[in-house]
Amino acid sequence: MEGATQAPIIERDKKLDNFTKEDKSAINSKYKWCRRLLVFTVIILCIRLWDLQIMKGNEMRKLSEQNRIRVKKVIAPRGIMYDKNGKILADTRPSFNMYVTPEDIKDFNQTIDGLAKLLDLDREEIINKLKAASGFPPSFPVKIKPDISMDEVAKVEANRVYLPGVSIQIEPKRNYPYGKMMAHMLGYVSEISDEEIKAKEFKSYSLGDFIGRYGLERAYESQLRGVDGEKRVEVDAMGREVRTLEIKDSTPGNSLYLNINLEIQTAVEKAYDGKKGGCIAVEPKTGAVVALLSRPAFDPNKFAGGISKEDWKAIITDKTHPLQNRVTQGRYPPGSTFKIVSALKALDEGIINERTSFTCRGGFPFGKRVFKCWKKGGHGTVAVHRGIVESCDIFFYNVGLKLGVDRIHEMADAIGLGKTTGIDLPGEKNGLVPSSEWKKKTYGEQWYEGETVSVSIGQGAVWLTPVQLLQLSAFVANDGVTFKPQIVNRIVSPEGKTLKTFEPVMNSNAKLKKETVRIVKEGMWGVVNEPSGTAHGSRLQTVSMSGKTGTAQSVGEKGKNLGDHAWFIAYAPAEEPAIAISVLVEYGGHGASIAAPIAKLITENLYKPKVEIKEARAYENR
């Protein structure tokens, strides 16, 4: 054998012996270069292996696992909202959401075109959603359509083999069981936008997450949202889940217990059928909001499922502005309800007393104009009690001139009129009660007494929201004290632990003379309970209600009369007020015939006799 192996070497040496010295040198040189190239290649490979295995080992391991293991978000259910008696006003329900995972798509056009055709979706809209998620890893599932129907689920499942990358996940969806009822108070949730997701304040959100947009949903977003969990799942080549490897449960959001009484709220909602406007009722001694309504309304369920372009366009182009909360954002002339402010200041300052009277003949000449009373024939000689009970304009024109606009402004400021009340809803707006200083600053002009005449009866440059006029009602009911209107009573954890209870917050505490409060209270009692009172038609047999009517003219451009707003502010029982109410019916007409009956309905519901169900007993036959 040894002889056999040495034979080729001997043969090679013989061949080399045939080469010249120069040929041998050239061959040896090439051989050396080949060896150098080989060594260099081995070194490069070693460096690359070191880079992949050591320097990028974790990253490569993660990428490798993502081919078969995915981490999916487990969305936390939002907290539930209850009324004061524990009835559910907003909760969550399961929904089927459809996702596309870019990494699992085999043929982009086949998947996107197939999906668009199968579910009648806009192809460009699908592509735009995928583009918006381009900053996320390709394994990130992009929500294409939330809350798909069972029929759509069946279509997708039947065609899964042709739609690699498409998946359906069952996730919680916000649910408002009463639809439009309480829409402006409860608010709504919708998907976070592409722009928002880039902002620092939303850094804890992901594309496709839902966020509180309006009402309590927005005001208490941090409490209601909860903490999402996650699960590690094994997927096949089509992106379908094969098995769950690990689950980290989500934590539901905290629940809100409201001061709202659903029974009263329902009665108010029915009273506003076919009407526009707003209504709010509170417990005057705490500020607890018992009912709050704004009409026209919208269905928050349309937003919770991902509102369609058609529905969104219909809402934002609606000339009645259904998204506006009339109670906290609608500013209206308060009309004759404002006479209470003039009466309080004039009595408290001693400008008038209980016997001070003025003669009403139906008109009040002042300057080049005659200011009219609502009663054409006039009220005759009127003191403050009849002035309030019968809402005599001439009486308050005289009182306003004696006071001057700045003292009217002072009392309005003490009550809190014109300022936000601090109600726990976002977007509350200021009102306006003018002063001579305000006009100087705003228009650079002096104030004229003729303007005071209008302001004294709640017309002219006076603009208030229904929740601000509620403060006026509560102010009288509470002898000069008001509290911040508070909708949420307490926040409760998913385990049932009370995390926070909202205590009453005092907004104003004016030191009025007892005589002032007595005279005004008697006047407001007479409005409802005396035969000549403007709201006598809304008198109750079971409980005494006090109030003040208002019919406010609304003037548009070029002085065009747009119609009258109907107002009524009230509190009950008159002796020991437990509820204060503000009612506005937009362009409703007379406050006495349109707004006052709604306050009567609220009070009736609150004080209606409770039906006692006695336990039935069975007796044995002896």
Side-chain angles (χ1 to χ4, degrees):
M1 289 296 292
E2 183 179 353
T5 56
Q6 286 183 344
I9 297 174
I10 296 169
E11 187 64 25
R12 184 199 67 187
D13 291 341
K14 285 181 177 178
K15 288 180 179 178
L16 287 174
D17 289 342
N18 295 330
F19 288 105
T20 62
K21 196 171 185 178
E22 290 74 13
D23 291 338
K24 288 180 180 178
S25 177
I27 290 170
N28 286 332
S29 177
K30 288 180 181 178
Y31 178 66
K32 288 178 181 176
W33 274 109
C34 287
R35 281 199 309 176
R36 288 171 184 165
L37 184 61
L38 181 62
V39 170
F40 180 73
T41 303
V42 170
I43 291 172
I44 293 297
L45 286 174
C46 289
I47 291 173
R48 183 58 178 158
L49 283 172
W50 180 79
D51 182 53
L52 292 174
Q53 294 295 320
I54 306 300
M55 298 300 290
K56 297 180 179 177
N58 291 334
E59 183 182 348
M60 293 299 108
R61 193 177 303 111
K62 189 176 178 182
L63 286 172
S64 171
E65 287 181 352
Q66 279 183 348
N67 286 333
R68 59 184 180 84
I69 297 174
R70 295 273 168 78
V71 177
K72 295 193 173 184
K73 183 187 289 187
V74 179
I75 297 176
R78 287 180 76 82
I80 300 171
M81 292 193 229
Y82 299 92
D83 88 331
K84 68 177 298 182
N85 296 313
K87 295 176 181 173
I88 293 175
L89 306 181
D91 59 3
T92 57
R93 67 168 177 80
S95 70
F96 296 96
N97 297 329
M98 186 179 67
Y99 289 84
V100 167
T101 305
E103 189 178 68
D104 296 332
I105 295 176
K106 307 301 180 190
D107 184 321
F108 187 83
N109 289 329
Q110 178 188 326
T111 297
I112 303 305
D113 291 343
L115 197 58
K117 187 175 180 182
L118 187 66
L119 301 185
D120 194 23
L121 300 176
D122 185 340
R123 184 179 190 276
E124 290 304 311
E125 194 172 331
I126 298 174
I127 293 173
N128 288 337
K129 288 189 175 183
L130 292 173
K131 283 181 178 175
S134 59
F136 292 83
S139 59
F140 179 82
V142 182
K143 189 187 293 180
I144 301 300
K145 187 177 182 183
D147 199 27
I148 62 176
S149 66
M150 289 301 295
D151 183 50
E152 290 173 318
V153 171
K155 284 182 180 177
V156 172
E157 290 299 331
N159 291 276
R160 282 293 294 274
V161 68
Y162 307 111
L163 300 170
V166 177
S167 62
I168 294 172
Q169 295 183 29
I170 302 174
E171 295 170 334
K173 173 183 175 278
R174 199 52 156 169
N175 180 49
Y176 304 93
Y178 295 96
K180 291 184 177 181
M181 268 182 62
M182 301 168 281
H184 297 85
M185 177 173 56
L186 301 179
Y188 66 84
V189 298
S190 69
E191 199 168 321
I192 195 165
S193 70
D194 303 345
E195 293 301 316
E196 286 172 323
I197 206 74
K198 298 170 186 171
K200 282 184 179 177
E201 61 182 302
F202 300 116
K203 64 181 181 183
S204 62
Y205 292 80
S206 298
L207 209 62
D209 282 354
F210 276 69
I211 186 170
R213 292 279 181 206
Y214 194 87
L216 297 177
E217 294 281 18
R218 178 179 167 188
Y220 293 90
E221 165 69 10
S222 61
Q223 295 291 338
L224 291 166
R225 187 184 173 207
V227 180
D228 294 335
E230 63 180 32
K231 64 176 181 178
R232 290 165 62 85
V233 297
E234 186 177 332
V235 298
D236 63 13
M238 300 283 287
R240 294 174 297 197
E241 289 185 22
V242 177
R243 64 186 175 120
T244 301
L245 302 175
E246 185 181 1
I247 291 183
K248 180 184 176 185
D249 289 332
S250 62
T251 303
N254 297 321
S255 293
L256 304 182
Y257 283 76
L258 313 187
N259 291 310
I260 296 296
N261 183 321
L262 182 58
E263 193 175 350
I264 294 176
Q265 179 76 31
T266 303
V268 179
E269 298 272 355
K270 286 181 181 175
Y272 267 83
D273 279 349
K275 299 182 179 71
K276 292 188 291 183
C279 175
I280 180 170
V282 304
E283 295 175 4
K285 295 187 186 307
T286 62
V289 178
V290 176
L292 189 153
L293 165 146
S294 179
R295 289 286 181 88
F298 57 90
D299 186 354
N301 287 306
K302 288 186 176 180
F303 292 88
I307 192 165
S308 66
K309 285 182 178 178
E310 294 75 22
D311 285 338
W312 177 241
K313 185 178 179 181
I315 288 176
I316 61 173
T317 57
D318 190 334
K319 293 181 179 178
T320 63
H321 307 295
L323 285 177
Q324 182 192 37
N325 186 341
R326 259 78 170 168
V327 173
T328 59
Q329 298 173 324
R331 291 178 283 203
Y332 306 84
S336 294
T337 58
F338 196 73
K339 290 171 181 171
I340 299 298
V341 179
S342 300
L344 286 168
K345 189 64 176 177
L347 288 165
D348 215 52
E349 291 275 323
I351 304 296
I352 63 170
N353 59 38
E354 198 169 8
R355 295 176 298 281
T356 304
S357 59
F358 300 98
T359 301
C360 170
R361 295 190 176 88
F364 181 74
F366 190 84
K368 297 179 180 178
R369 180 181 168 187
V370 176
F371 291 85
K372 296 180 180 177
C373 182
W374 68 269
K375 192 174 183 179
K376 289 183 179 177
H379 290 89
T381 302
V382 177
V384 65
H385 182 80
R386 275 191 65 204
I388 294 173
V389 172
E390 300 178 23
S391 198
C392 177
D393 292 330
I394 305 300
F395 178 85
F396 282 98
Y397 292 151
N398 283 284
V399 170
L401 287 174
K402 283 180 173 292
L403 277 171
V405 70
D406 289 337
R407 282 195 280 203
I408 295 175
H409 175 84
E410 282 175 16
M411 178 53 75
D413 190 58
I415 299 168
L417 303 180
K419 298 180 284 191
T420 55
T421 64
I423 188 171
D424 47 341
L425 287 177
E428 185 186 7
K429 290 186 176 177
N430 288 314
L432 174 65
V433 179
S435 65
S436 57
E437 184 183 354
W438 166 81
K439 190 177 179 187
K440 192 74 177 174
K441 281 184 178 176
T442 307
Y443 298 105
E445 297 176 2
Q446 70 175 62
W447 184 268
Y448 297 100
E449 284 192 319
E451 295 172 293
T452 306
V453 174
S454 296
V455 168
S456 64
I457 63 162
Q459 294 285 170
V462 188
W463 296 87
L464 298 174
T465 62
V467 69
Q468 287 166 4
L469 270 184
L470 172 83
Q471 296 293 78
L472 173 58
S473 178
F475 185 82
V476 177
N478 250 358
D479 299 343
V481 175
T482 64
F483 291 91
K484 172 186 145 184
Q486 181 68 36
I487 299 173
V488 176
N489 176 276
R490 62 189 185 279
I491 300 171
V492 178
S493 73
E495 296 78 25
K497 181 182 178 183
T498 299
L499 302 174
K500 181 174 183 178
T501 299
F502 293 90
E503 300 296 332
V505 176
M506 190 180 289
N507 268 358
S508 61
N509 185 10
K511 307 296 182 186
L512 298 176
K513 295 175 182 173
K514 286 185 179 179
E515 192 68 358
T516 298
V517 175
R518 178 188 67 77
I519 293 169
V520 172
K521 277 189 168 181
E522 287 179 358
M524 290 182 70
W525 182 89
V527 168
V528 181
N529 297 286
E530 293 181 14
S532 62
T534 53
H536 185 65
S538 294
R539 186 168 63 97
L540 288 152
Q541 298 296 329
T542 54
V543 61
S544 61
M545 179 172 70
S546 297
K548 182 69 191 79
T549 54
T551 303
Q553 292 180 342
S554 178
V555 180
E557 294 180 1
K558 299 180 180 179
K560 183 182 178 183
N561 188 356
L562 301 176
D564 295 336
H565 300 307
W567 281 104
F568 191 63
I569 58 172
Y571 60 85
E575 305 77 22
E576 191 61 37
I579 190 165
I581 306 163
S582 172
V583 178
L584 164 77
V585 180
E586 205 173 276
Y587 303 113
H590 295 289
S593 59
I594 301 298
I598 295 174
K600 177 185 178 183
L601 185 69
I602 294 173
T603 309
E604 273 180 334
N605 268 275
L606 192 62
Y607 289 98
K608 69 181 178 183
K610 304 295 181 188
V611 178
E612 186 179 350
I613 301 173
K614 294 183 178 179
E615 184 182 354
R617 293 183 179 178
Y619 294 91
E620 294 180 2
N621 292 323
R622 295 176 185 272

